[in-house]
Amino acid sequence: MFRTTIPPALMPAYLAAGMHNAGRAYIQCIRLAMVTLLVFGVRDWLVAPHEIAQQTIAIRCLPLALGLALLLRTHARPGARELYWSAYLFMNVMIVSLAAIYALLPNGLLLNHTALFMVPMLGALFTPTLPPMLFVLANCVVSTQLALWWQPPDPLALASLNASLAIVFAFTVFLALHGIRARQHQFLLERRLHEDATRDPMTGAYNRRYFRDIAKTEINRAKRHQRPLSLLLFDLDHFKSINDRYGHATGDRVICQSIDTLQRGLRASDVLARVGGEEIAVLLPETDRAAALQLAERLREAIADGQLALNADALLHWQTSVGVATLRDTDLQLEDLLARADTRLYEAKRGGRNRVVASTALAA
Ligand SMILES: Nc1nc2c(ncn2[C@@H]2O[C@H](COP(=O)(O)OP(=O)(O)OP(=O)(O)O)[C@@H](O)[C@H]2O)c(=O)[nH]1
């Protein structure tokens, strides 16, 4: 049995990523279907008996109106989920209305079933998940059987139609499964590439390059809206001697645990990155000097309170120094802020380590 490889937590991101191609394709299909409905409505008017033409045109107006409403709505609020559900709803209404029209026309289903059978197959080309497509298929089977019951063809034609329906069913499931697998594989691959490009493999924290990208955006935003922004720079104290005494593997665990401790003390909007060996930067949007100083002190204490069990009766403790800088009007780029935080960090080291140093309030 086919199983989705996308973890539930990643599903919204997967649907949103697919919206740009599969979602847009669905919208194009809805547009195309609406044009076809109009063209066939004119044809009904010209060739079908007056009464039947009125009925079929009235039925065609249903998916037309729905399609128009969906296009307007998805245009106004283009959310991924809404877009997909709009497309599935449209497909189901198309199937029901086409089956109803074919039930009205003499030999309707026998002569026209291609259009009806195309709906699930087109949907299968773009669907990001299987269950909605199975529902569309089930609707196709039920609607077709109802149309056949309403206007039964001769037994040979009935057998031929049902055989076509079975082929459409199998082909749609095949197309959907292969398309979904390919889309999920591509999504996970792109995600992996993005993770590799933005995260430090040892700790999982953002890397220096990605930090610079985010920091530039945040600094521009803070300057444009005249909002405060601060930067904390952490450097673990005497880290070389931890490596020398307990080995590199223990040093690595100390770095990972420090990053964990810091991350737990931050808000979701704060950005933490490992910017050097045992150097960690934290960008604090919407945070002025006083709040940054308070947070830095709390985080420094949290690291000093932490411990690592080396063996049954030996615990390792370590400390950190912190430099704090707050954005000034005269700062032109991230480097200005980084340089100031680095100077304060150096002062914290020189002042005896295990402390926080910020610029004076006047020259934050
Ligand atoms: N275990 C481990 N060590 C690292 C890693 N990256 C850098 N280091 C080590 O971290 C140490 C950094 O030491 P320094 O910054 O020179 O000085 P320190 O001992 O921390 O002393 P102060 O910063 O002055 O308190 C070096 O010995 C590096 O080899 C890493 O990923 N894992």
Side-chain angles (χ1 to χ4, degrees):
M1 181 58 191
F2 175 80
R3 261 198 226 124
T4 172
T5 48
I6 305 289
L10 289 186
M11 211 53 185
Y14 166 66
L15 291 178
M19 194 182 97
H20 290 289
N21 33 51
R24 303 234 173 282
Y26 272 139
I27 291 300
Q28 296 303 345
C29 285
I30 292 179
R31 286 198 182 120
L32 192 67
M34 288 171 65
V35 172
T36 317
L37 284 167
L38 281 172
V39 170
F40 277 83
V42 174
R43 192 227 32 195
D44 290 353
W45 190 256
L46 294 176
V47 301
H50 188 66
E51 205 175 307
I52 292 183
Q54 278 182 352
Q55 291 168 350
T56 55
I57 290 171
I59 296 173
R60 285 185 204 282
C61 282
L62 261 178
L64 256 176
L66 177 70
L68 201 61
L70 294 181
L71 289 184
L72 290 175
R73 186 171 162 73
T74 47
H75 187 71
R77 283 185 59 193
R81 268 188 190 278
E82 285 186 31
L83 200 142
Y84 287 120
W85 284 110
S86 301
Y88 297 131
L89 182 63
F90 185 76
M91 275 186 258
N92 282 304
V93 172
M94 269 297 271
I95 287 171
V96 172
S97 57
L98 284 177
I101 290 169
Y102 299 159
L104 283 174
L105 299 174
N107 273 330
L109 202 58
L110 200 60
L111 299 176
N112 300 289
H113 61 274
T114 318
L116 195 154
F117 289 175
M118 261 173 57
V119 177
M121 284 201 288
L122 273 179
L125 284 178
F126 314 114
T127 186
T129 54
L130 191 60
M133 273 325 294
L134 290 178
F135 189 83
V136 171
L137 269 177
N139 178 18
C140 189
V141 172
V142 172
S143 301
T144 312
Q145 295 309 312
L146 282 175
L148 288 171
W149 167 76
W150 186 262
Q151 205 195 108
D154 65 72
L156 190 64
L158 182 67
S160 158
L161 261 174
N162 278 329
S164 303
L165 186 61
I167 291 171
V168 166
F169 197 103
F171 200 59
T172 302
V173 172
F174 177 85
L175 276 181
L177 284 183
H178 277 75
I180 290 166
R181 267 206 192 113
R183 277 187 281 283
Q184 293 190 341
H185 183 73
Q186 185 181 350
F187 169 78
L188 292 174
L189 195 70
E190 281 171 5
R191 208 179 157 84
R192 172 91 189 270
L193 286 174
H194 184 255
E195 293 279 293
D196 286 354
T198 57
R199 295 203 182 258
D200 160 50
M202 187 177 96
T203 60
Y206 288 135
N207 61 24
R208 189 181 187 96
R209 194 176 53 182
Y210 193 57
F211 180 76
R212 295 183 89 85
D213 290 348
I214 302 183
K216 276 180 194 161
T217 312
E218 287 296 340
I219 288 173
N220 286 341
R221 199 199 320 265
K223 284 176 82 84
R224 196 169 51 243
H225 300 295
Q226 293 282 300
R227 303 301 303 162
L229 176 143
S230 297
L231 175 75
L232 311 182
L233 208 53
F234 293 80
D235 188 289
L236 304 185
D237 294 333
H238 300 302
F239 190 70
K240 189 173 177 318
S241 62
I242 294 179
N243 269 339
D244 293 346
R245 282 183 68 184
Y246 306 105
H248 244 75
T250 302
D252 288 354
R253 288 171 64 197
V254 166
I255 295 174
C256 289
Q257 186 167 320
S258 303
I259 284 183
D260 261 15
T261 305
L262 295 179
Q263 201 89 65
R264 269 185 271 118
L266 296 174
R267 287 186 294 213
S269 54
D270 301 334
V271 184
L272 178 149
R274 184 183 179 201
V275 292
E278 22 71 270
E279 208 171 281
I280 301 154
V282 177
L283 192 74
L284 305 168
E286 300 293 330
T287 309
D288 60 17
R289 177 183 178 276
L293 201 51
Q294 205 178 14
L295 176 65
E297 193 56 51
R298 191 155 48 77
L299 294 173
R300 182 197 62 76
E301 277 173 19
I303 288 202
D305 289 345
Q307 58 190 31
L308 190 68
L310 295 174
N311 52 49
D313 32 40
L315 292 173
L316 175 62
H317 294 271
W318 66 96
Q319 293 164 336
T320 185
S321 302
V322 194
V324 182
T326 299
L327 192 67
R328 295 176 187 165
D329 287 343
T330 49
D331 286 336
L332 295 177
Q333 51 191 351
L334 170 65
E335 278 64 27
D336 300 329
L337 198 60
L338 266 175
R340 259 198 332 279
D342 206 38
T343 307
R344 302 303 161 236
L345 178 61
Y346 180 69
E347 286 169 13
K349 293 276 181 188
R350 247 193 357 196
R353 296 181 175 78
N354 189 28
R355 67 194 58 212
V356 176
V357 175
S359 311
T360 57
L362 275 178

